[in-house]
Amino acid sequence: MGIVSIKEKIIDSIQNNLDIKSVRKILKLISNPIVFFLYGLSFKSVSDKYLNKYSLSYMREVYCGNHPIAYGSLFIPYEILNSLNLKLILPEVMGGFTAGLGVTDKTLSNAANNWYSADLCTFHRSASGAANMSLFPKPDFIICSNLACDAACKSFEDMAKKFEIEDRFYLIDIPYENDEISLKYLAVQLENIYFDISDKLKIKPDINNLKKALINSNKLRSHLLEVNKIREELFDYPQYYNGLSYILPLFGLSGTSKAAELYRIMEKELKAKLRKQIQPGKMKKILWMHLKPYYRNEIFNILEENGCRVVCEEITDVFWEEMDPEKPFISLASKMISNPLRGNGQNRINTILSMAEKYKVDGAILFSHWGCRQSNGLARILKDRLAEIKIPLLILDGDCVDKNNCPSGQIKTRIEGFTEIINSL
Amino acid sequence: MEIKIEESFADSIKSSASLNTGRGMVAYTCSYIPEELIAAANLIPYRVYGNKESNLADKYFPINFCPYVKAVWEEIHHNTILDAIILATSCDGIRRLNDYISYYEKELPVFMLDIPRKSDKDSLGFFAHNLKNLWIFLCGISNVDPGNTDIIKASSSIINRKRTLLKELTKHYEADMHQIIKNDDYFNIINISLSSETDTFNNELESYIKKIKSLKENYDTVHNDFKSNLKIMIIGNYINDNNFWSIFENLNVKLISSDICITYRYFDIGLEKNYEAPGLENDIFTDIANSFISKPACFRMADIKSKLNDIKAQIYENNINGVIFASLKFCDNTLYSFPALKNELNKMKIPSIFLDIEYGKSSYGQLKTRIEAFIEMLNL
Amino acid sequence: MYSCGIDIGSVSTEAIILKKDDNDNFDICSYVIGRTGSDIKTASENIFNDALLKAKIKKEDIKTIIATGYGRKNVSFANKNITEITCHASGVLSVFPDVKTIIDIGGQDSKVIKIDKLTKKPIDFLMNDKCAAGTGRFLEVMAKALDIELENFGKIFFNTNEKIEITSTCTVFAESEIVSLIGHGVDKGKIVKGLLYSVADRIISMISRLGLEEPVSLTGGVAKNSGIVGALEEKLKTKLLIPFEPQVTGALGAAALALKI
Ligand SMILES: Nc1ncnc2c1ncn2[C@@H]1O[C@H](COP(=O)(O)OP(=O)(O)O)[C@@H](O)[C@H]1O
Ligand code: SF4
Ligand SMILES: [Mg+2]
């Protein structure tokens, strides 16, 4: 039996017996050394292989029941949580995971039955449905912030209520401005959370662990900087490589040595590709904004077929400065505050414009995920600003999680129309 | 005898429409923005209503975007008499509104007031700091000396009189089972209070309340045509839509203890000093920050557990028969709170109905059918 | 004693006349179904007169007239108007007293009403939003796109084994999806089956929010579409109770309520 059909079989079995036990069983099955080896073979890129094997063993740890679990929203300082040895689950990962397994019809309708409006972001709707259906281990802590959006705070609060851990629910309030007072306001919150969680875990906080996490995170940062520099010139990508696949390590696992290692491997792999690249290709370069669909889809193939390649993603930009391990809370607060999705939209626009210039892109795509107010709300200004520097923007309406909200025929027509414009420039 | 709102509040209505007072006008969007600061800077605070009619905003914002933000954008685009606009970091929608105004309406000064989501000491200090910056911004608009904070106290007392009067109006409205104050009239009066010159409004409201009182004394003995005693609680966000309230015009219900942005959350603000303040500045900004952070909270601010407890208490205390949950469409903070509320109401066996409000663009016919059916259901 | 119920829907207008005997039982004297058209006033008057004619009585014989449906406020000769939610509940309960869930699918909207088992009164309901998916109109548009008579949907449903998944939930998208499926030579029967399931899914998502409780009744013009009945019964795993003439249920309820006044 080939690895592909094993995969299909597994997915089939999950779809039909949806509960935590079946997920656990399957994780165990894949972790069998032979299957695990075969699983690794199904990836063409070294970093993808590392990512997937590592994610899998991470998931096993998450599910094994031996570690305290935290649910966290995308841009919180995971260095803190990793230094406390929490195992982490992100809604983006839950949403992506459920989309990848093809069970979102069920998770979304579970959320709908519980009065989650269809106007809301599907990452959070699907995560809520999955949590209701006990597809993920019960959390010991829930930590969220309003960076980048309101959705996380509220949907997580609702989860905390359902799991009856309101006293272990932390909201990190992100200031709008970037000044001394705001920075301090944020740093104090982070510090309180660190000590409160340690307290509840009944462990003596070891600030050295936190420092180590910051050092790891800095390593990741410097590898990622290199990776991004390589990508400014690289055309010959490893097959199926896509920066948008690395949400878990880039955010959720930042602060771990494994995540830093992954980016070291990625740097090595891409560097080798660049060295072997004989001449710059004729591909048109595309900048990608927001996330991508996490179910099977043809978007990136359609782009390739039409001579376009995504060379940079908004989400993989290194927006933060190197952190000072001696001042962990201020450093982490400063990392959060530098996030371009925080505060004024100008922050994001500046980042996009400078990326567009750095990577010399020919066009940009904003994946307009249904119900994402913060990102889609800025689309019109982004379009106008990019037009000023003669870069066409495609606002691609779709949904990262719900394939039914993303008609493939329409997507294809739009992308092809867009690539025709770019290729004629 | 019927009291006509347009007549009783003629001067207030005029004071908001034209600028014959000679004072500047500053728009604001959220009940957490203290009007007293705007008024103290000798400017008329105007809770921006939004232009609900035209469709320019659709060219700028996505289709699934807050209809209030769109309506405000529309109004800002056409309104030439505003001196500035104050926004708050209430939600992603307003954050984007700030971006659009800064980019496409560059001449209009805009201030973004950062409102913390928590109410601990650090948040209070942070909020006070932001309020001070707002004050400096406002003084810049009207050339007032920001050092003179005594004028804030004076202004506070005028605004507080408005709050007290609105509370009194509400008391009469809620206790009045003869519809002397009609459902839609009550909300129209609040709407007028949001955008008129405060002294003018206060005086008119005071005499209106007097009239109501005397009418009521005669009414109790003579008439008894108002049959239903159904008490409905409306819970939601910025529901300020005359078309919506007019659905209730001739319905035999009372809207009691409404929990929306323009009722208690707007005027139930106490300015008493009831906080310990070691490490905090002991100034007027901390006072204001404290009273605003401890006023009845909206769904963005409240933690869901205490919000539900508050609602439960209101329902029991007022013998509420049913709950209408009305949310502006696409409001994440509100929509995410509904599942928990619905669950709680089901447990309490309180019937409830969920309504999407598109702020001027709703299909009112269908809304009317739903509301009427809901009331028929309660009446059966 | 006679009463009359008039239901002015988006597609059809119905009138029904009831007669109550001394034991509080009632008989149906007559009922008429017509199209609403653009002139509600004329439509309601004509249909009312037809119903009088059929019942062989005069207007003066009728004690109370209740109007319902989206045009309920425009019936000048009615004594009262009541929403279609309350009227459908009353209509169904007068035929099937034990029903706990009522589905009504009309031309422009669909609703689900939950009945309390003890009091036999509606305790909760849901209506579709503005969007037309999951309504009779949606089916009409699709029938036109497919060039198949609506009346044949039922036969097709039961004679086709496979279905094509219709993923678009919006009428406009679904229509173009269907046009493209036809273009690709997909068997129309499978498309019809897919469409019927997609409408059923919409309805079921409303039912799940309120919680399914049996017995379930289906009313409204769409209840005449045996394909929808089949799809819903299959997915809900229950038999649907359908009143003798599902389209007049609203009018029947209005007339029944009028007898109580
Ligand atoms: N004989 C029939 N076969 C199939 N569908 C029918 C039939 N008659 C009516 N319908 C459906 O019923 C819908 C109208 O339902 P109706 O209850 O009359 O609506 P309304 O109450 O809004 O006027 C039509 O759109 C059509 O889809
Ligand atoms: S997609 Fe948008 S709305 Fe959803 S979680 Fe991400 S930022 Fe928030
Ligand atoms: Mg009808």
Side-chain angles (χ1 to χ4, degrees):
Chain A
M1 181 156 52
I3 189 74
V4 176
S5 62
I6 296 184
K7 249 183 175 170
E8 300 285 325
K9 252 208 140 112
I10 291 168
I11 288 178
D12 238 36
S13 132
I14 297 184
Q15 286 174 346
N16 295 326
N17 320 281
L18 266 188
D19 64 11
I20 192 162
K21 273 193 223 132
S22 60
V23 181
R24 240 184 228 136
K25 228 189 279 163
I26 285 142
L27 286 169
K28 196 171 157 200
L29 182 99
I30 312 181
S31 311
N32 162 299
I34 300 170
V35 181
F36 199 56
F37 175 74
L38 288 172
Y39 180 69
L41 287 185
S42 67
F43 296 95
K44 300 258 171 356
S45 128
V46 187
S47 0
D48 270 354
K49 180 170 159 180
Y50 185 92
L51 169 74
N52 279 284
K53 286 180 85 169
Y54 178 52
S55 307
L56 206 65
S57 56
Y58 188 75
M59 281 311 220
R60 258 203 92 184
E61 285 185 295
V62 165
Y63 275 91
C64 77
N66 297 335
H67 307 276
I69 302 284
Y71 291 4
S73 67
L74 194 52
F75 297 114
I76 60 171
Y78 280 103
E79 288 86 347
I80 293 184
L81 306 181
N82 281 315
S83 83
L84 293 169
N85 276 321
L86 295 170
K87 294 294 162 216
L88 304 159
I89 303 180
L90 286 65
E92 281 76 7
V93 174
M94 285 190 190
F97 193 60
T98 50
L101 293 177
V103 299
T104 47
D105 284 349
K106 291 189 174 120
T107 51
L108 291 174
S109 79
N110 180 292
N113 296 347
N114 285 300
W115 299 90
Y116 269 77
S117 158
D119 292 333
L120 298 168
C121 163
T122 39
F123 279 116
H124 288 279
R125 270 195 282 146
S126 186
S128 160
N132 272 334
M133 295 162 75
S134 305
L135 286 184
F136 292 90
K138 188 176 173 300
D140 300 283
F141 297 93
I142 296 187
I143 303 105
C144 65
S145 82
N146 48 318
L147 196 186
C149 67
D150 298 322
C153 314
K154 286 292 151 189
S155 83
F156 270 19
E157 194 183 6
D158 192 35
M159 269 192 213
K161 188 167 181 295
K162 270 186 212 138
F163 289 117
E164 295 179 346
I165 51 166
E166 286 107 327
D167 60 326
R168 289 158 170 249
F169 167 76
Y170 302 92
L171 165 64
I172 304 172
D173 184 30
I174 301 297
Y176 188 78
E177 300 297 338
N178 181 0
D179 55 22
E180 201 67 23
I181 293 215
S182 304
L183 191 65
K184 222 180 113 199
Y185 172 63
L186 184 53
V188 169
Q189 295 182 58
L190 301 185
E191 191 168 348
N192 290 342
I193 290 178
Y194 174 72
F195 286 106
D196 207 72
I197 294 184
S198 312
D199 219 42
K200 296 208 160 103
L201 284 172
K202 299 200 171 61
I203 54 174
K204 220 174 120 232
D206 182 357
I207 212 83
N208 276 325
N209 273 344
L210 183 56
K211 285 182 192 167
K212 266 186 228 151
L214 263 72
I215 294 170
N216 281 331
S217 182
N218 281 341
K219 277 191 198 148
L220 187 157
R221 179 181 173 277
S222 63
H223 291 308
L224 180 54
L225 275 174
E226 284 306 312
V227 165
N228 288 351
K229 208 178 283 153
I230 296 167
R231 291 181 74 191
E232 285 172 30
E233 292 166 51
L234 187 66
F235 278 90
D236 183 17
Y237 277 72
Q239 201 180 356
Y240 305 129
Y241 172 88
N242 188 320
L244 293 160
S245 306
Y246 293 82
I247 302 287
L248 178 65
L250 181 55
F251 300 102
L253 303 180
S254 58
T256 65
S257 56
K258 285 269 167 46
E261 174 65 7
L262 168 59
Y263 277 87
R264 192 189 64 77
I265 290 174
M266 192 189 292
E267 183 189 335
K268 207 171 130 197
E269 180 179 27
L270 296 191
K271 209 176 245 163
K273 279 277 175 194
L274 184 62
R275 242 182 276 122
K276 277 192 238 145
Q277 179 169 280
I278 310 157
Q279 56 175 39
K282 287 193 200 70
M283 282 270 181
K284 296 280 185 180
K285 296 169 139 198
I286 303 290
L287 162 77
W288 187 275
M289 282 173 249
H290 201 267
L291 304 172
K292 63 165 187 173
Y294 288 94
Y295 41 84
R296 201 172 299 160
N297 69 88
E298 292 298 314
I299 292 179
F300 298 95
N301 295 344
I302 301 172
L303 279 171
E304 294 268 329
E305 281 160 17
N306 290 283
C308 293
R309 172 166 294 156
V310 174
V311 297
C312 57
E313 307 88 13
E314 157 178 50
I315 198 102
T316 46
D317 180 48
V318 179
F319 51 79
W320 67 100
E321 295 295 309
E322 185 167 296
M323 291 184 281
D324 178 358
E326 295 306 317
K327 292 186 204 148
F329 300 110
I330 281 284
S331 302
L332 288 166
S334 154
K335 180 178 176 186
M336 287 183 97
I337 283 217
S338 331
N339 193 311
L341 297 184
R342 184 202 52 84
N344 198 306
Q346 198 58 47
N347 300 333
R348 184 179 185 202
I349 292 165
N350 291 342
T351 306
I352 298 294
L353 291 179
S354 82
M355 285 179 91
E357 277 174 13
K358 201 158 65 182
Y359 291 89
K360 302 194 184 62
V361 300
D362 303 288
I365 296 180
L366 170 66
F367 190 73
S368 173
H369 171 64
W370 171 261
C372 179
R373 261 41 98 174
Q374 65 88 7
S375 172
N376 304 342
L378 207 61
R380 170 66 196 254
I381 307 187
L382 279 166
K383 198 172 174 89
D384 286 0
R385 292 302 301 275
L386 284 165
E388 283 170 18
I389 56 169
K390 305 247 165 357
I391 292 177
L393 170 69
L394 170 66
I395 300 170
L396 190 57
D397 292 319
D399 196 307
C400 297
V401 175
D402 183 6
K403 60 180 184 316
N404 297 338
N405 209 3
C406 207
S408 57
Q410 243 205 16
I411 295 263
K412 192 172 157 84
T413 312
R414 288 196 193 191
I415 297 180
E416 285 178 351
F418 181 65
T419 56
E420 277 160 21
I421 293 173
I422 290 193
N423 287 321
S424 70
L425 288 178
Chain B
M1 197 192 90
E2 211 180 317
I3 311 180
K4 285 232 158 54
I5 300 302
E6 305 80 58
E7 285 165 20
S8 303
F9 293 89
D11 288 340
S12 302
I13 294 170
K14 247 186 271 157
S15 79
S16 73
S18 64
L19 270 182
N20 45 19
T21 51
R23 286 162 68 189
M25 186 182 275
V26 168
Y28 72 105
T29 52
C30 174
S31 70
Y32 282 88
I33 298 172
E35 282 173 89
E36 37 266 87
L37 292 183
I38 303 176
N42 199 27
L43 298 157
I44 298 183
Y46 163 51
R47 179 78 170 270
V48 54
Y49 187 61
N51 175 347
K52 301 171 182 172
E53 304 308 324
S54 78
N55 290 310
L56 177 79
D58 290 336
K59 284 198 212 142
Y60 289 85
F61 293 96
I63 44 161
N64 53 353
F65 210 74
C66 170
Y68 176 61
V69 165
K70 285 190 187 179
V72 171
W73 166 247
E74 202 89 56
E75 177 171 336
I76 299 293
H77 195 77
H78 297 111
N79 191 333
T80 48
I81 61 169
L82 288 178
D83 291 279
I85 182 164
I86 317 295
L87 307 176
T89 53
S90 339
C91 59
D92 296 330
I94 298 280
R95 275 207 293 151
R96 295 294 86 101
L97 178 61
N98 181 25
D99 299 335
Y100 278 75
I101 296 174
S102 318
Y103 187 66
Y104 295 106
E105 302 291 331
K106 293 196 174 71
E107 340 53 74
L108 182 69
V110 33
F111 184 91
M112 191 70 162
L113 177 65
D114 198 356
I115 301 169
R117 285 176 191 247
K118 293 186 279 192
S119 51
D120 52 32
K121 202 190 84 189
D122 293 323
S123 307
L124 188 58
F126 182 62
F127 191 27
H129 166 82
N130 300 337
L131 286 175
K132 195 168 185 174
N133 284 341
L134 168 61
W135 171 240
I136 295 169
F137 169 86
L138 289 165
C139 290
I141 300 277
S142 58
N143 278 323
V144 167
D145 168 22
N148 182 7
T149 52
D150 284 344
I151 49 180
I152 302 179
K153 284 198 189 102
S155 145
S156 266
S157 77
I158 298 177
I159 304 281
N160 277 336
R161 181 161 160 250
K162 169 158 93 174
R163 293 180 181 132
T164 312
L165 284 168
L166 283 171
K167 271 193 264 184
E168 198 183 332
L169 172 75
T170 305
K171 203 181 76 203
H172 287 298
Y173 163 74
E174 292 190 347
D176 154 32
M177 283 300 163
H178 303 295
Q179 300 239 16
I180 302 173
I181 308 175
K182 290 197 297 179
N183 292 327
D184 55 329
D185 282 354
Y186 169 70
F187 289 99
N188 279 342
I189 295 172
I190 296 181
N191 187 20
I192 294 168
S193 84
L194 295 168
S195 58
S196 48
E197 204 275 321
T198 311
D199 265 329
T200 314
F201 175 80
N202 285 350
N203 294 335
E204 287 187 330
L205 180 54
E206 199 157 8
S207 49
Y208 176 83
I209 291 175
K210 265 194 207 121
K211 272 188 254 169
I212 292 294
K213 272 191 195 155
S214 74
L215 262 184
K216 209 171 162 187
E217 276 154 23
N218 305 328
Y219 231 90
D220 283 344
T221 49
V222 188
H223 299 66
N224 203 3
D225 52 355
F226 184 54
K227 289 182 216 78
S228 161
N229 283 320
L230 274 189
K231 292 176 175 176
I232 308 265
M233 182 174 179
I234 295 208
I235 302 177
N237 41 24
Y238 189 64
I239 307 300
N240 188 13
D241 182 340
N242 290 341
N243 289 327
F244 180 70
W245 299 124
S246 66
I247 295 179
F248 293 88
E249 185 181 342
N250 295 314
L251 292 180
N252 280 344
V253 294
K254 273 269 115 160
L255 302 169
I256 302 281
S257 189
S258 314
D259 191 352
I260 55 179
C261 298
I262 60 165
T263 52
Y264 288 95
R265 284 177 357 216
Y266 167 54
F267 50 69
D268 195 4
I269 299 176
L271 277 179
E272 61 275 2
K273 240 191 160 93
N274 58 358
Y275 58 97
E276 300 282 329
L280 291 177
E281 298 269 351
N282 188 8
D283 63 8
I284 179 99
F285 301 107
T286 313
D287 291 354
I288 297 180
N290 178 61
S291 44
F292 274 75
I293 261 184
S294 35
K295 79 184 178 75
C298 70
F299 286 102
R300 171 198 187 260
M301 298 296 287
D303 68 277
I304 192 75
K305 197 170 182 177
S306 34
K307 185 78 201 163
L308 291 183
N309 285 340
D310 285 353
I311 292 174
K312 267 202 281 207
Q314 292 297 334
I315 289 176
Y316 286 131
E317 201 173 298
N318 296 306
N319 297 315
I320 299 291
N321 305 94
V323 167
I324 294 181
F325 189 86
S327 173
L328 286 175
K329 222 166 154 52
F330 313 120
C331 174
D332 289 348
N333 283 321
T334 315
L335 291 176
Y336 277 111
S337 308
F338 183 60
L341 176 63
K342 179 79 188 178
N343 190 12
E344 209 62 43
L345 293 172
N346 281 349
K347 273 194 235 154
M348 296 165 73
K349 293 212 175 343
I350 297 288
S352 61
I353 180 173
F354 173 82
L355 301 176
D356 262 339
I357 310 292
E358 279 184 74
Y359 203 62
K361 301 215 166 74
S362 301
S363 27
Y364 292 97
Q366 222 213 28
L367 278 179
K368 200 175 165 87
T369 300
R370 291 193 207 192
I371 292 170
E372 286 183 5
F374 182 64
I375 288 162
E376 285 165 5
M377 189 176 94
L378 297 177
N379 266 325
L380 280 175
Chain C
M1 187 178 87
Y2 293 97
S3 76
C4 174
I6 297 190
D7 177 358
I8 299 96
S10 64
V11 172
S12 65
T13 292
E14 299 85 15
I16 192 163
I17 294 177
L18 300 182
K19 183 182 185 181
K20 187 166 78 171
D21 62 25
D22 300 332
N23 303 324
D24 260 9
N25 295 322
F26 64 71
D27 277 325
I28 296 171
C29 307
S30 71
Y31 68 84
V32 185
I33 304 177
R35 290 201 73 87
T36 303
S38 53
D39 182 356
I40 293 180
K41 198 167 167 288
T42 320
S44 57
E45 277 166 9
N46 288 345
I47 284 166
F48 177 54
N49 287 330
D50 287 354
L52 288 173
L53 222 62
K54 264 179 111 174
K56 300 195 180 67
I57 57 169
K58 291 194 297 294
K59 189 176 179 221
E60 292 74 40
D61 299 330
I62 294 182
K63 187 164 165 262
T64 316
I65 305 171
I66 290 185
T68 185
Y70 100 106
R72 65 190 178 280
K73 309 255 154 141
N74 301 324
V75 184
S76 51
F77 53 88
N79 303 86
K80 199 177 171 184
N81 64 73
I82 296 182
T83 65
E84 49 271 39
I85 316 261
T86 309
C87 289
H88 272 275
S90 145
V92 169
L93 291 172
S94 69
V95 187
F96 306 117
D98 294 324
V99 158
K100 298 205 187 69
T101 307
I102 298 169
I103 307 165
D104 172 54
I105 314 178
Q108 72 176 5
D109 49 33
S110 45
K111 37 195 168 294
V112 175
I113 309 165
K114 198 170 175 174
I115 307 293
D116 187 85
K117 44 184 166 293
L118 297 174
T119 61
K120 305 273 181 215
K121 284 169 184 169
I123 40 164
D124 209 348
F125 67 88
L126 273 177
M127 254 168 111
N128 66 313
D129 46 36
K130 255 190 197 171
C131 153
T135 66
R137 174 84 69 228
F138 176 83
L139 287 166
E140 285 182 33
V141 173
M142 299 307 145
K144 205 174 245 162
L146 284 161
D147 199 18
I148 294 179
E149 294 293 320
L150 251 189
E151 282 73 12
N152 296 329
F153 271 35
K155 211 168 61 210
I156 297 173
F157 178 83
F158 290 106
N159 290 333
T160 314
N161 291 325
E162 276 174 74
K163 63 160 182 178
I164 283 284
E165 189 99 32
I166 308 292
T167 50
S168 308
T169 36
C170 152
T171 314
V172 182
F173 285 158
E175 193 181 358
S176 63
E177 194 175 332
I178 281 167
V179 171
S180 103
L181 286 172
I182 299 173
H184 283 91
V186 176
D187 173 39
K188 283 186 181 179
K190 294 181 189 168
I191 304 179
V192 168
K193 194 143 178 157
L195 274 171
L196 291 166
Y197 280 123
S198 88
V199 171
D201 281 339
R202 281 246 145 182
I203 305 293
I204 286 168
S205 87
M206 286 200 274
I207 298 180
S208 335
R209 285 195 200 178
L210 296 184
L212 172 70
E213 280 191 68
E214 295 170 43
V216 185
S217 172
L218 177 66
T219 69
V222 178
K224 292 182 175 173
N225 185 331
S226 54
I228 282 292
V229 179
L232 277 170
E233 288 187 337
E234 188 183 317
K235 293 215 162 200
L236 291 172
K237 298 191 184 69
T238 181
K239 190 108 191 84
L240 296 177
L241 300 174
I242 298 172
F244 63 99
E245 173 43 89
Q247 217 160 357
V248 301
T249 316
L252 171 65
L257 289 168
L259 285 177
K260 292 183 191 150
I261 293 181

